[in-house]
Amino acid sequence: MKMRGRAWKFGDSISTDHIAPGRYFHLRSNLPELAKHVLEDARQDFAPNVKPGDFVVAGWNFGLGSSREHAPTIIKLAGVSAVLARSFARIFFRNSINIGLPVIAVDTSFINEGDELELDLSEGTVKDLTNGKEARFRPLSPQLLRILEDGGLIEHIKKHGDIVL
Amino acid sequence: MAGKTISEKIFSEKSGTDARAGDMVVARVDLAFAQDGTGPLAVRQIGKLGFERVANPSSTVFFFDHAAPSPRQELSDDHIFMRDFSSKTGAVVSEVGEGVCHQLVAEERAAPGMLIVGADSHTCTAGAFGAFATGMGSTDVAVAMATGKTWFRVPESYRVVLRGRFQKGVCSKDLILHLIGDIGADGADYKALEFSGDMEALDMESRLTVSNMAVEAGAKAGLFPSDDITRKYLEEWGRGNAFREIKPDPDAEYERTLEYDLSAIEPTVSKPHRVDNTALAKDLSDVKLNQVVIGTCTNGRLSDLRVAAEILRGKKVAPGVRLIVVPASRRIYLRAMEEGLLRAFVEAGGLILPPGCGPCVGVHQGVLGSGEVVLSTQNRNFEGRMGNPKGFIYLSSPATAAASALTGRITDPREVMR
């Protein structure tokens, strides 16, 4: 599975409060409306300008904090094809797999704002087509890749009739 | 073959396999719950799955605590949505005013050896009982509610050895803030923290505070072995028969061992905007406060309110400081009322909120103004957490919070304690 898109750079420790702020708590049952505020407290220019296929590219411990699945859900709803970060907080990582948003733990230091990226999930590579650099990552475990490729945990269970690890 | 950690024991039992750290297992869940911020999405996911029932209605709970009472029509409608689902399926609703989910799980449901999943990151609170309790998203919890099970990766464990006794004015909140400052907000990412050593130093309420914040070090769970303290706490809440012994094997394998001398811990504070950005309270005396919050799922229990009331009784909160007290549950509220603790807070100039999450999540009841500074006993201080990204949140123990309410600046409680 290959994806291409533009990089939006974020720093370290982007929390679920940055991604889906508590002041919009009342919009959680209105996800398209909530998605208009995605990552607003980290970068105000992101939500109005993100294009389908773009990548969120960040530093360490992306998604720390709350269990709110609304966080990866609105990143996906905004059209983001994958999140690349040095590392992820556990619950955010798991939520992303469960809703079918690819999350890749990889060195992101060589990627610059606005660079054109090509991500190959099964090969485990991310290429920066703008500066020609490339990084490899350990592909997701076969179990997680299956849930992701099925489109998330709900679709996975509907397809297989059960959780099939 | 090495012995097992508490995590490995519980996952072996619940999955019917010889579970070891790193294994992927499907395990039977004893309790699945959500709160009013994550419950509506869980209900919709159960619908998407095509289920019209839940596997174990009496062990499926929706807690109304984040927006309680509801400040907005959208959230009132979310409450109605969950009430309707519960009346159709037999799932349990914990109504507005009952209290914070994690405290109610402690009072009514958690027991050693259980496997608990909750759509709230601080579900790890119940690890204080020796239950494997972990926070997940709405979809995971929806699957657990519908099918009675979900998938897990069995975590590696860090052993945290505690020695000695706390000094006066120091408590388990200072310990866990110190620990998070020590290893970092991702220092235990994906791991289980397993506590051992001089366990008598921590009563159950102290343990609940420590386990509550395990996730702030990135951990999947914060586990205490069960002992007489666990047994007595269960008996106090009328659930003595829920006790069983759970502890690690002597030759269990740990990825890392951390050791803390409790007598060396001092009143500790997390500074904006990260929980691992810690300092000593005594070094922050130039930080002036607009608001002080005592309560939440971290520190809204009876012993917390007692310590704070003792410091505040007969005195007045500093001019310009709003003191907000949030008992964690209705039962705690009542006991605090009977003991005269609420009177002490109100006479000192404080106000009492209904049992629930209070202002911690930024939904209502004490949203910060731009540039305002709060000292709270809650567990998290991220930018925007309390409803305004231009607010500044410091975290501390109830004693430090109460002492600071009196002076209007961050204060080491030992300065004001008799």
Side-chain angles (χ1 to χ4, degrees):
Chain A
M1 196 158 44
K2 274 190 186 177
M3 306 169 186
R4 268 177 86 154
R6 191 170 51 137
W8 289 82
K9 285 278 277 189
F10 293 84
D12 295 336
S13 304
I14 299 296
S15 78
T16 54
D17 281 297
H18 288 116
I19 303 168
R23 65 182 177 282
Y24 302 120
F25 195 88
H26 59 285
L27 295 177
R28 287 188 182 183
S29 286
N30 185 354
L31 292 170
E33 203 53 41
L34 188 61
K36 291 181 183 167
H37 303 284
V38 62
L39 280 156
E40 183 174 285
D41 284 350
R43 278 186 71 165
Q44 294 200 339
D45 58 341
F46 177 74
N49 297 306
V50 62
K51 298 276 183 299
D54 287 354
F55 294 100
V56 167
V57 178
W60 297 101
N61 209 18
F62 188 89
L64 80 158
S66 154
S67 71
R68 63 191 77 157
E69 189 175 298
H70 314 75
T73 304
I74 60 176
I75 290 176
K76 191 179 174 193
L77 262 183
V80 170
S81 56
V83 182
L84 314 178
R86 297 298 294 262
S87 67
F88 290 90
R90 181 191 71 82
I91 303 177
F92 181 90
F93 183 86
R94 185 177 168 120
N95 282 344
S96 300
I97 302 294
N98 279 341
I99 62 141
L101 172 69
V103 274
I104 307 301
V106 64
D107 178 11
T108 52
S109 57
F110 67 95
I111 300 170
N112 298 311
E113 172 70 16
D115 285 0
E116 189 76 14
L117 307 181
E118 186 181 86
L119 175 71
D120 190 323
L121 276 185
S122 34
E123 286 291 312
T125 56
V126 53
K127 287 181 190 153
D128 187 322
L129 304 174
T130 307
N131 66 18
K133 292 180 184 166
E134 177 177 339
R136 300 193 61 80
F137 55 89
R138 204 168 54 168
L140 293 168
S141 72
Q143 296 101 327
L144 296 192
L145 207 53
R146 186 184 303 146
I147 294 173
L148 193 62
E149 285 173 354
D150 287 340
L153 188 60
I154 299 290
E155 297 305 319
H156 170 88
I157 292 173
K158 284 166 79 169
K159 182 172 166 187
H160 302 281
D162 204 348
I163 303 172
V164 182
L165 291 182
Chain B
M1 202 74 179
K4 290 185 177 180
T5 62
I6 295 177
S7 301
E8 290 169 329
K9 285 188 174 184
I10 295 176
F11 279 115
S12 295
E13 192 175 310
K14 301 299 174 185
S15 68
T17 67
D18 178 28
R20 299 283 173 173
D23 289 355
M24 299 278 287
V25 298
V26 175
R28 207 158 29 79
V29 166
D30 297 304
L31 170 64
F33 71 86
Q35 29 86 344
D36 41 356
T38 56
L41 182 54
V43 169
R44 287 195 290 274
Q45 294 295 66
I46 292 171
K48 268 196 197 166
L49 206 48
F51 278 62
E52 288 173 2
R53 53 170 188 81
V54 295
N56 304 298
S58 64
S59 304
T60 302
V61 190
F62 295 91
F63 292 95
F64 298 176
D65 53 8
H66 282 55
S70 165
R72 297 188 63 118
Q73 67 182 48
E74 297 93 334
L75 298 170
S76 306
D77 290 344
D78 281 345
H79 285 171
I80 292 171
F81 182 58
M82 287 180 282
R83 283 188 197 107
D84 287 350
F85 178 79
S86 297
S87 66
K88 274 182 225 146
T89 56
V92 181
V93 163
S94 172
E95 268 295 344
V96 169
E98 290 297 329
V100 189
C101 51
H102 309 303
Q103 176 58 20
L104 296 168
V105 166
E107 290 176 13
E108 300 170 355
R109 293 174 177 275
M114 282 175 79
L115 179 56
I116 298 173
V117 298
D120 187 285
S121 57
H122 296 109
T123 299
C124 48
T125 309
F129 289 85
F132 194 96
T134 194
M136 296 182 163
S138 299
T139 296
D140 265 314
V141 170
V143 167
M145 286 175 167
T147 67
K149 61 190 180 183
T150 192
W151 65 274
F152 297 86
R153 182 182 169 281
V154 181
E156 294 80 14
S157 297
Y158 287 180
R159 180 170 50 180
V160 184
V161 184
L162 307 177
R163 298 283 178 220
R165 292 287 186 278
F166 291 115
Q167 304 170 49
K168 189 175 165 57
V170 181
C171 70
S172 72
K173 180 64 164 290
D174 299 300
L175 164 68
I176 190 67
L177 293 181
H178 176 80
L179 184 153
I180 294 162
D182 186 22
I183 69 173
D186 57 356
D189 205 13
Y190 293 92
K191 313 298 179 191
L193 296 177
E194 205 179 273
F195 295 90
S196 66
D198 295 344
M199 292 286 96
E200 322 76 80
L202 284 93
D203 61 20
M204 269 310 280
E205 295 201 337
S206 302
R207 294 179 189 182
L208 287 162
T209 300
V210 170
S211 294
N212 176 272
M213 291 196 68
V215 66
E216 306 308 331
K220 186 167 181 170
L223 303 167
F224 283 82
S226 65
D227 58 13
D228 276 349
I229 291 172
T230 324
R231 183 202 305 269
K232 283 188 187 120
Y233 184 87
L234 286 165
E235 284 167 358
E236 266 173 48
W237 292 105
R239 300 196 294 119
N241 57 5
F243 181 81
R244 61 177 269 207
E245 186 173 75
I246 184 140
K247 58 180 183 184
D249 289 329
D251 56 344
E253 280 185 357
Y254 296 91
E255 195 173 291
R256 189 175 166 190
T257 296
L258 302 159
E259 238 177 301
Y260 293 96
D261 172 5
L262 301 182
S263 68
I265 306 277
E266 295 197 72
T268 301
V269 170
S270 297
K271 300 183 290 181
H273 298 285
R274 289 174 59 152
V275 184
D276 59 2
N277 187 18
T278 53
L280 296 181
K282 65 184 180 193
D283 295 334
L284 296 173
S285 58
D286 56 341
V287 178
K288 292 202 174 100
L289 303 170
N290 303 103
Q291 183 164 299
V292 172
V293 178
I294 298 171
T296 77
C297 61
T298 317
N299 280 120
R301 285 174 268 275
L302 204 58
S303 54
D304 301 317
L305 301 184
R306 282 179 186 146
V307 166
E310 192 181 331
I311 291 170
L312 288 160
R313 186 173 286 119
K315 297 183 177 158
K316 289 284 179 204
V317 165
V321 175
R322 303 181 295 272
L323 170 63
I324 297 175
V325 180
V326 204
S329 74
R330 184 193 297 277
R331 293 182 191 92
I332 288 170
Y333 192 106
L334 275 170
R335 288 188 188 184
M337 191 185 287
E338 287 158 11
E339 290 186 18
L341 309 179
L342 302 188
R343 170 172 281 272
F345 294 127
V346 173
E347 285 183 343
L351 65 89
I352 316 292
L353 289 180
C357 300
C360 176
V361 209
V363 178
H364 59 4
Q365 299 173 349
V367 172
L368 296 182
S370 299
E372 283 199 319
V373 180
V374 62
L375 179 64
S376 174
T377 65
Q378 67 197 50
N379 41 35
R380 209 164 257 167
N381 62 347
F382 305 143
E383 247 171 321
R385 173 74 179 178
M386 294 175 83
N388 184 346
K390 297 191 176 80
F392 296 88
I393 308 170
Y394 291 79
L395 310 176
S396 78
S397 73
T400 301
S404 304
L406 289 178
T407 60
R409 52 181 178 79
I410 292 180
T411 300
D412 186 318
R414 294 171 298 188
E415 280 179 33
V416 304
M417 286 174 97
R418 282 175 282 264

